[in-house]
């Protein structure tokens, strides 16, 4: 399953569609998202541990903002260079209640961990968008900061796919095996026709080298 959009670092101003192809028609939606983030959303800098010796620490940014025109949905935008994520920049839309479902799933699979808290569910209908966004992004940031939770597949599927919460739970129960996939347009293809050209195309013509 693909996220709503994914871009390379050098293409931060463009928005990709689900199939990974750039679509200029999404520029309006992108501007709406940025406006919503500025007006009603919240962004946090998250420090993620990286156990690799040669890895340089890069910041991870996480933001939550309401979807314009839909009071029940929130955009979750993630920008990171952490090795645990297949996609380095992504955005998905999730309902407010899905955050509580995610917490319940994580708690059931990590019963000995102190799970980051969420506000009472009714507060989603009485608090301001900014307050709600801040509470939701604070929860996700605390989840990401916990190493054991960071390795949980449900978290990655929640942040970087459009799978329903039911299907995400099915993955943890072994009923499904979905992955966070990089769009095909981002995969470097090997254009060599090895079946026809053989080792000559790979290593040069041995006979010509000997002459």
């Amino acid at each position: 399953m693909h996220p709503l959009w994914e871009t390379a670092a050098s293409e931060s101003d463009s928005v990709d569609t689900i199939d990974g192809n750039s679509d200029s028609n999404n520029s309006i939606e992108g501007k709406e998202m940025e406006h919503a983030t500025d007006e009603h959303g919240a962004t946090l800098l998250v420090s993620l541990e990286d156990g690799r010796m040669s890895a340089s620490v890069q910041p991870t940014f996480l933001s939550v903002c309401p979807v314009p025109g839909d009071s029940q949905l929130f955009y979750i935008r993630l920008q990171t260079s952490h090795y645990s994520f297949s996609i380095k920049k992504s955005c998905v839309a999730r309902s407010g209640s899905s955050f509580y479902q995610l917490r319940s799933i994580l708690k059931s699979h990590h019963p000995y961990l102190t799970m980051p808290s969420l506000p009472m569910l009714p507060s989603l209908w009485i608090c301001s968008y900014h307050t709600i966004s801040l509470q939701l992004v604070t929860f996700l940031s605390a989840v990401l900061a916990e190493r054991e939770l960071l390795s949980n597949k449900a978290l990655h599927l929640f942040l970087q796919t459009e799978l329903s919460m039911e299907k995400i739970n099915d993955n943890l129960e072994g009923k499904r095996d979905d992955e966070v996939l990089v769009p095909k347009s981002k995969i470097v293809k090997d254009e060599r026709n090895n079946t026809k050209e053989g080792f000559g195309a790979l290593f040069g013509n041995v006979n010509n080298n000997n002459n």
Side-chain angles (χ1 to χ4, degrees), residues 21-211:
N21 297 319
S22 181
D23 187 347
S24 59
N25 292 333
N26 285 336
S27 59
I28 296 178
E29 180 182 358
K31 291 179 180 178
E32 290 179 347
M33 289 171 58
E34 291 179 1
H35 177 72
T37 302
D38 293 339
E39 292 293 319
H40 305 295
T43 301
L44 293 180
L45 174 63
V46 187
S47 298
L48 301 181
E49 294 185 9
D50 193 327
R52 298 173 300 173
M53 295 294 294
S54 60
S56 58
V57 178
Q58 298 293 331
T60 292
F61 293 96
L62 186 66
S63 67
V64 172
C65 67
V67 174
D70 193 329
S71 61
Q72 304 300 317
L73 292 178
F74 293 84
Y75 285 124
I76 305 173
R77 307 175 73 171
L78 175 70
Q79 180 176 337
T80 182
S81 60
H82 196 271
Y83 67 91
S84 65
F85 291 95
S86 302
I87 299 176
K88 304 309 179 185
K89 191 173 183 183
S90 62
C91 176
V92 296
R94 293 288 183 186
S95 66
S97 61
S98 68
F99 288 78
Y100 295 82
Q101 291 176 277
L102 173 66
R103 186 180 187 276
S104 178
I105 291 173
L106 294 175
K107 186 175 181 179
S108 65
H109 287 84
H110 303 275
Y112 301 106
L113 286 180
T114 300
M115 203 60 53
S117 62
L118 280 168
M120 298 292 291
L121 186 58
S123 67
L124 297 184
W125 288 273
I126 60 176
C127 294
S128 68
Y129 279 130
H130 176 72
T131 298
I132 297 170
S133 297
L134 181 58
Q135 292 173 332
L136 295 179
V137 75
T138 299
F139 162 73
L140 289 179
S141 298
V143 171
L144 288 176
E146 175 58 55
R147 180 180 297 181
E148 188 171 336
L149 297 179
L150 179 60
S151 64
N152 189 287
K153 186 176 184 178
L155 176 63
H156 290 261
L157 294 176
F158 180 84
L159 292 175
Q160 298 196 311
T161 76
E162 295 178 286
L163 287 173
S164 66
M165 297 308 299
E166 180 181 359
K167 291 180 179 179
I168 289 177
N169 191 53
D170 285 346
N171 273 267
L172 297 190
E173 293 182 354
K175 299 177 182 178
R176 295 176 62 95
D177 186 21
D178 298 292
E179 296 180 358
V180 177
L181 299 178
V182 178
K184 294 180 180 179
S185 61
K186 304 300 180 183
I187 299 176
V188 178
K189 298 180 180 180
D190 189 345
E191 302 292 347
R192 295 172 299 187
N193 189 347
N194 295 335
T195 58
K196 291 183 179 180
E197 299 174 6
F199 285 100
L202 297 175
F203 304 106
N205 193 310
V206 177
N207 293 331
N208 290 339
N209 293 336
N210 292 333
N211 293 335

